[in-house]
Amino acid sequence: MPGLGASFGRGAATNYQQDMANSDCVLFMGSNMAEAQPVGFRWPMEAKLKGATLIHVDPRFTRMSAVCDLYVGIRSGSDIAFLGGLVNYVLTNDRWFHEYVLAYTNAANIIDEGFRDAEDLAGMFSGFDQQHDSYDSTQGHWGFEESGEGSGSKPASAESAKGPHSPYGHGMDGSHTSTSKGTTNAERDPTLQHRRCIMQILRRHFARYTPEVVSQVCGCKPEEFVRVAELLCKNSGRERTTCIAYALGWTQHTTGVQIIRTAGILQLLLGNMGRPGGGIMALRGHSTIQGATDISTLYDTLPGYLPQPAAHDPAHENLSGYIESGGMPTGYWSNFSKFIVSLLKAWYGDAATPDNDFGFSWVPRVDGDYSQLAYFDRMSKGGVKGYFLAGQNPAGGGPNANVHRAGLRNLEWLVVLDWFETESAVFWKSDPNGPPPSQVGTEVFFIPAAAAQEKEGSLTNTQRLVQWHKKAVDPSGDCRSDAWFYYNLGKRLKQLYAGSTDPRDQGLLNLTWDYDFDEQPRLPDGTLSRIEGEPDLEKVLMEINGHRLDETDPRTGHPRLVSGYSELKDDGTTACGCWVYSGVFPEPGRNRADERKLSDNPIQPEWGFAWPNNVRVLYNRASADPEGRPWSERKKLVWWDAEKRNWVGLDKPDFELTKPPDYQPPPGAKGMTAIAGTQPFITKADGLGWLYSPAIKDGPLPTHYEPVESPLGNLLYPKHNTNPTVRFFAGPLNHIAHMPTAEYPVVATTFRLTEHYLSGPMSRFNSWLNELQPEMFAELSYELAAESGIVHGGWMTIQTPRGRIEARAMVTRRLRPFPVEGRVIHQIGLPFHWAFAGEVVGGNANDLTALLADPNVSMHESKAFTCQVQAGRLEGQAPHPTVTTSPWPTLDPIPDTPASAQPEGRIGHGK
């Protein structure tokens, strides 16, 4: 999220998947959309039918590579070198969109005189704290030089103030730091000639990323790189737009945030942001990962990306201090007080009053790093007593799953809510590398969960689109929905603590918790549901949408639903559970997430609800030139209507509707009045897209570093092989090959199959999917197989400092050796879907990966690590399936169903 947020203001996909059909070129990097998001991939294919060019840059040649117009293979972990080369190519060949960049980015801002770039310090930025392996942006002078009186800005980033591995990584968008609070007063040079202006720093920073250097680092040919660069440049500008799409292949690196930042810089230079067919498509790993971060399941944010109050931050002792430190004087985050007060009113109702800071003291404080990697490291060392685990499988899917299983074995109790008994439910008895069950003291409570078809609710997908799904049938037996479990758990806890006068219990006791159905719900066939105690999730969605507490709707007798977040107040008269979702339920009976209306508008604004405010293309003010006219008729989206005196277009304008293009803020303006009519990025304090961002913890500009485990040194910065701010978790189960070593010369990367889901918690219990992909395998090149004596279809072992697994060998031309720095670097690919529970079992790629974290969001690096491969099998007995294979339910055709809708396979045959 901060990779996008620090560049543009919001950490989410900027466009919608259907908009990819409007692209003239799509660059896929860190993504295998055709296999991982096959339904959405129809839209890039539609663009191709219209003449668009599809490019795939990836370590593996995949089914997506096969349908793209151009494939370029690069070594895992070299993405910043490739993207940095593209930035350098655009700048040195003067291919950047001048009018767009000058008007809509911070290219002209001048940086504080004391700042030193990685080019000045051989791969490091100024302000590095050797003791804590972190940057202090204050000491490093990363901020913008202020205009007017004063010698410069005094940046003091939130992260440096709270320690090197403090909270606020996920919600970081460049706004919640004091580095950003003076950006509207930044000194600027419109000529872009000042030595310390961002454009000049950018040129110097990326100057060494030449096609030849890119080739040497990445392993591709210089002419391949140049062809990609030319295609992007030719398909960007007034008349044409290029989209960049990425997924976990970028995210899961210790430089993942900076990889995404580099793409943001590139798209701003090319003028592709906020425009149809442009933007950056963040392809999420499953159906509502976006919604999980929005609402929020992250430990360091509240719903709507408000920062979680911190226990040891003096500014968070009261509400006013929290607002002062978290809000911004300019831009849309100047409404911060309205968002937090409305959230507190939604949570605590009448108990939240001005006299008690609206219950702000009841909000739990975060007192450390509770991200998954740090938490399971602590758990493995005996620091956690109990754990609730719903819809996740860390024992099979966590990076270095050995550490995760060790953590689960150290708990006193564990509650698992799931469809099947996954590795995380049976680790105590079925882990082939674990101790005997009698030596595991964890008490495991398995709660059978309802399947998606057995519950209602919302999903928020890749493109911020909130879609409602209805319940088809009741869950069988004792299975219950996640909502049922947590709602009834909350009721029991409130009952248990009823009457308590302990101050720490008051937040729980005052929590609004009244989501019962008014009458027993009915199933689609008209019968009453047999499930008692299920919460009415539309009531939850209405609370999330928000209410006017000082107005009663005569239709319901309840507080009136707000139409959007512009109605929110900070005086306690509005309640809203998540401000970015406000507008999803604007009136009684109108759940916009449940709308499925098609129209002549290709954006289809009445199909679901996209946050914010049903905007489908973020920052779409940038689709028009500074005067408010579309850059071209072909790429028009929103524009200024001089007669109507407002912004109009195909999409909902992501801008103040009545603010004219020629509006200029008066001196000292605050809030949105400080944003000019030519500043599209309204959630940034200065309304601009940021080519340079002082809010990122590992540097204001992306820099190529090798993965923590790499067979090579850093060709660009030999003194600094890896990201100097990476967090390590020392322990006997988490050995790291820090330096290039002959013991582990092969690069490994993990990948996903269409036929399986994540670590396999659902798919490996499905006999039909198991029939399609029955066994763990590893992809390797013919050259590596020949060197290692490995034969296609035979057994091989893969070893890292963390462990060793066996797999079938798939010898294929899809992987090839990479010539890098005069050497041949081999790479293998490992699907991450197998472990020791289910109908089929096998070696777990996640047993090989390391527990280490990037500094921004504590992300691991399973997309690039080192290993050794050998022919043969492991000694000892292979694990056995934990459940028997399910028989086919029937071979007979389904009654009353046309032949075209019958399942494929042996239906009706072979009796």
Side-chain angles (χ1 to χ4, degrees):
M1 293 191 304
L4 294 171
S7 302
F8 315 121
R10 303 181 181 105
T14 64
N15 292 44
Y16 57 106
Q17 290 179 84
Q18 293 88 334
D19 184 55
M20 297 175 83
N22 299 319
S23 302
D24 298 294
C25 180
V26 183
L27 171 63
F28 296 95
M29 281 186 72
S31 163
N32 181 7
M33 189 180 182
E35 294 184 87
Q37 291 92 8
V39 176
F41 191 63
R42 62 178 289 195
W43 304 108
M45 291 300 291
E46 183 172 319
K48 184 178 180 180
L49 291 174
K50 296 177 182 178
T53 301
L54 306 187
I55 305 168
H56 193 207
V57 178
D58 198 85
R60 300 170 53 244
F61 186 93
T62 65
R63 285 182 280 187
M64 191 173 84
S65 312
V67 298
C68 285
D69 299 281
L70 174 63
Y71 167 74
V72 177
I74 63 169
R75 177 174 58 93
S76 280
S78 63
D79 302 76
I80 288 179
F82 193 93
L83 291 165
L86 294 175
V87 171
N88 182 46
Y89 188 93
V90 169
L91 292 172
T92 56
N93 291 280
D94 198 31
R95 305 293 288 274
W96 52 285
F97 194 161
H98 287 233
E99 192 174 359
Y100 184 104
V101 170
L102 285 167
Y104 297 156
T105 78
N106 67 354
N109 284 21
I110 296 174
I111 303 305
D112 193 80
E113 189 169 3
F115 171 71
R116 293 294 178 269
D117 183 49
E119 292 304 292
D120 306 315
L121 301 176
M124 300 279 281
F125 297 96
S126 52
F128 189 71
D129 181 344
Q130 296 279 356
Q131 181 179 356
H132 297 104
D133 290 334
S134 64
Y135 283 107
D136 185 321
S137 61
T138 304
Q139 298 299 319
H141 298 275
W142 292 6
F144 307 101
E145 184 169 286
E146 290 184 1
S147 61
E149 297 182 1
S151 60
S153 62
K154 300 294 182 183
S157 70
E159 57 272 18
S160 64
K162 295 178 175 61
H165 304 298
S166 61
Y168 312 127
H170 294 90
M172 198 162 48
D173 63 358
S175 296
H176 300 312
T177 62
S178 55
T179 315
S180 309
K181 293 185 185 293
T183 55
T184 54
N185 298 320
E187 188 73 43
R188 291 172 61 84
D189 174 21
T191 70
L192 305 184
Q193 298 307 306
H194 193 290
R195 189 178 186 280
R196 286 186 282 114
C197 85
I198 288 171
M199 178 58 84
Q200 292 302 324
I201 292 175
L202 202 67
R203 288 182 183 277
R204 293 193 297 273
H205 181 84
F206 287 107
R208 66 174 64 203
Y209 293 73
T210 63
E212 292 72 28
V213 168
V214 170
S215 172
Q216 293 173 38
V217 174
C218 300
C220 59
K221 297 177 181 177
E223 54 268 29
E224 291 179 317
F225 165 80
V226 170
R227 187 179 176 196
V228 173
E230 273 298 310
L231 285 169
L232 266 60
C233 292
K234 289 178 180 178
N235 287 289
S236 302
R238 281 183 172 269
E239 294 286 341
R240 305 180 74 78
T241 52
T242 289
C243 173
I244 294 179
Y246 76 90
L248 299 181
W250 273 3
T251 308
Q252 292 179 346
H253 289 276
T254 51
T255 55
V257 167
Q258 294 285 22
I259 295 174
I260 299 162
R261 271 279 297 134
T262 322
I265 293 170
L266 181 62
Q267 287 294 71
L268 286 171
L269 290 173
L270 292 172
N272 285 318
M273 297 310 301
R275 303 182 61 199
I280 297 179
M281 181 57 64
L283 294 160
R284 303 306 185 189
H286 52 85
S287 61
T288 194
I289 195 69
Q290 182 66 58
T293 58
D294 298 339
I295 290 297
S296 145
T297 56
L298 298 171
Y299 80 98
D300 59 353
T301 65
L302 299 173
Y305 302 98
L306 308 178
Q308 183 85 25
H312 306 300
D313 188 346
H316 292 177
E317 291 181 1
N318 54 53
L319 182 60
S320 60
Y322 172 80
I323 291 171
E324 175 64 24
S325 66
M328 295 297 299
T330 59
Y332 212 86
W333 278 111
S334 63
N335 294 298
F336 187 91
S337 62
K338 301 174 184 177
F339 305 152
I340 182 61
V341 171
S342 295
L343 175 64
L344 294 171
K345 288 297 293 183
W347 280 5
Y348 302 124
D350 293 339
T353 67
D355 293 338
N356 65 9
D357 257 1
F358 296 102
F360 181 69
S361 64
W362 300 330
V363 178
R365 267 53 175 173
V366 62
D367 61 358
D369 187 344
Y370 288 86
S371 62
Q372 177 172 324
L373 306 187
Y375 199 62
F376 269 88
D377 177 64
R378 195 178 316 146
M379 190 187 298
S380 71
K381 297 168 182 175
V384 181
K385 290 183 66 175
Y387 199 61
F388 285 89
L389 193 58
Q392 191 181 9
N393 185 28
N400 195 342
N402 294 294
V403 172
H404 285 74
R405 294 193 296 275
L408 296 178
R409 288 195 294 268
N410 273 336
L411 295 172
E412 292 183 13
W413 55 265
L414 172 68
V415 178
V416 179
L417 287 78
D418 219 312
W419 295 6
F420 305 105
E421 289 186 282
T422 64
E423 284 79 9
S424 297
V426 300
F427 68 93
W428 59 276
K429 62 177 181 178
S430 300
D431 182 356
N433 298 315
S438 60
Q439 296 180 18
V440 179
T442 310
E443 185 175 10
V444 180
F445 301 88
F446 183 78
I447 309 296
Q453 300 84 353
E454 299 168 339
K455 57 188 176 182
E456 71 170 358
S458 66
L459 301 171
T460 307
N461 71 0
T462 283
Q463 61 210 48
R464 302 167 281 103
L465 186 66
V466 189
Q467 297 179 98
W468 196 260
H469 65 91
K470 292 188 170 73
K471 178 178 180 177
V473 295
D474 275 336
S476 60
D478 291 331
C479 296
R480 294 293 184 270
S481 70
D482 310 66
W484 181 96
F485 177 84
Y486 286 110
Y487 184 48
N488 285 280
L489 178 63
K491 280 186 169 184
R492 294 190 184 193
L493 288 172
K494 287 171 74 71
Q495 184 178 12
L496 182 65
Y497 284 85
S500 172
T501 58
D502 191 325
R504 70 177 184 178
D505 298 336
Q506 300 314 300
L508 170 65
L509 295 176
N510 289 315
L511 197 66
T512 56
W513 208 248
D514 47 357
Y515 310 119
D516 290 327
F517 277 96
D518 296 328
E519 57 184 38
Q520 189 67 8
R522 292 185 179 273
L523 300 174
D525 63 3
T527 60
L528 289 173
S529 170
R530 67 174 179 82
I531 305 299
E532 298 289 339
E534 189 76 38
D536 184 346
L537 293 186
E538 283 204 334
K539 287 185 177 180
V540 177
L541 190 62
M542 283 188 275
E543 180 180 292
I544 289 170
N545 174 86
H547 295 84
R548 285 294 302 261
L549 302 177
D550 57 348
E551 296 183 23
T552 300
D553 191 323
R555 293 170 290 182
T556 63
H558 298 297
R560 179 177 66 80
L561 291 158
V562 299
S563 60
Y565 51 72
S566 62
E567 289 194 57
L568 300 182
K569 306 290 184 183
D570 57 10
D571 59 3
T573 59
T574 58
C576 176
C578 182
W579 74 274
V580 298
Y581 278 38
S582 191
V584 69
F585 215 126
E587 58 182 320
R590 191 185 179 195
N591 177 354
R592 297 183 72 181
D594 197 29
E595 291 182 343
R596 299 293 185 270
K597 298 178 182 178
L598 296 176
S599 68
D600 294 334
N601 186 337
I603 286 180
Q604 302 302 341
E606 293 183 280
W607 184 286
F609 175 86
W611 71 262
N613 205 26
N614 208 31
V615 171
R616 305 301 168 109
V617 177
L618 295 178
Y619 325 113
N620 55 31
R621 162 65 181 90
S623 68
D625 67 16
E627 287 73 38
R629 302 166 303 201
W631 291 107
S632 69
E633 185 66 21
R634 183 173 180 265
K635 292 290 178 178
K636 66 190 300 185
L637 185 60
V638 302
W639 56 91
W640 176 253
D641 189 316
E643 292 184 2
K644 295 180 179 178
R645 301 296 297 171
N646 62 10
W647 291 90
V648 299
L650 300 173
D651 196 8
K652 185 75 174 288
D654 188 20
F655 202 66
E656 289 183 287
L657 289 178
T658 59
K659 178 176 284 186
D662 59 359
Y663 169 79
Q664 290 297 318
K670 301 294 183 183
M672 285 299 292
T673 60
I675 301 299
T678 55
Q679 295 174 333
F681 299 90
I682 60 173
T683 46
K684 301 296 286 185
D686 55 5
L688 299 173
W690 283 16
L691 298 166
Y692 171 103
S693 176
I696 299 298
K697 292 184 180 182
D698 47 355
L701 288 170
T703 304
H704 168 73
Y705 298 110
E706 286 295 313
V708 168
E709 292 191 343
S710 172
L712 300 163
N714 188 346
L715 179 64
L716 283 159
Y717 304 102
K719 292 184 178 180
H720 300 286
N721 269 12
T722 61
N723 186 339
T725 60
V726 171
R727 186 177 185 183
F728 296 96
F729 303 94
L733 297 177
N734 195 44
H735 298 293
I736 307 293
H738 285 279
M739 300 297 292
T741 170
E743 188 176 2
Y744 301 107
V746 178
V747 176
T749 190
T750 61
F751 65 91
R752 172 180 295 188
L753 299 168
T754 305
E755 297 83 0
H756 280 290
Y757 183 78
L758 301 180
S759 62
M762 293 185 287
S763 56
R764 279 189 287 109
F765 292 83
N766 184 314
S767 58
W768 292 353
L769 294 176
N770 291 331
E771 188 175 0
L772 295 172
Q773 289 287 1
E775 198 165 18
M776 173 63 180
F777 63 93
E779 289 187 353
L780 70 162
S781 68
Y782 278 86
E783 292 83 352
L784 178 58
E787 285 185 17
S788 307
I790 296 171
V791 297
H792 179 66
W795 288 97
M796 62 181 288
T797 62
I798 306 100
Q799 183 171 355
T800 72
R802 275 80 54 193
R804 192 178 179 207
I805 67 169
E806 66 180 17
R808 291 286 187 179
M810 175 175 280
V811 182
T812 175
R813 297 292 181 197
R814 293 202 292 265
L815 279 101
R816 65 174 179 83
F818 292 103
V820 181
E821 296 185 38
R823 296 173 51 192
V824 174
I825 301 299
H826 292 291
Q827 180 157 321
I828 66 170
L830 300 170
F832 54 78
H833 305 297
W834 279 272
F836 56 82
E839 292 184 3
V840 295
V841 295
N844 184 359
N846 293 309
D847 285 348
L848 303 177
T849 56
L851 202 71
L852 42 84
D854 97 291
N856 295 292
V857 295
S858 297
M859 179 55 69
H860 56 89
E861 194 163 48
S862 65
K863 296 306 178 191
F865 56 97
T866 57
C867 69
Q868 180 61 282
V869 298
Q870 291 180 321
R873 300 193 68 176
L874 297 179
E875 297 179 358
Q877 191 174 15
H880 295 287
T882 56
V883 296
T884 58
T885 301
S886 300
W888 281 43
T890 180
L891 297 179
D892 296 321
I894 300 173
D896 303 320
T897 303
S900 60
Q902 295 285 350
E904 296 179 6
R906 296 184 298 153
I907 297 294
H909 301 282
K911 293 184 180 179

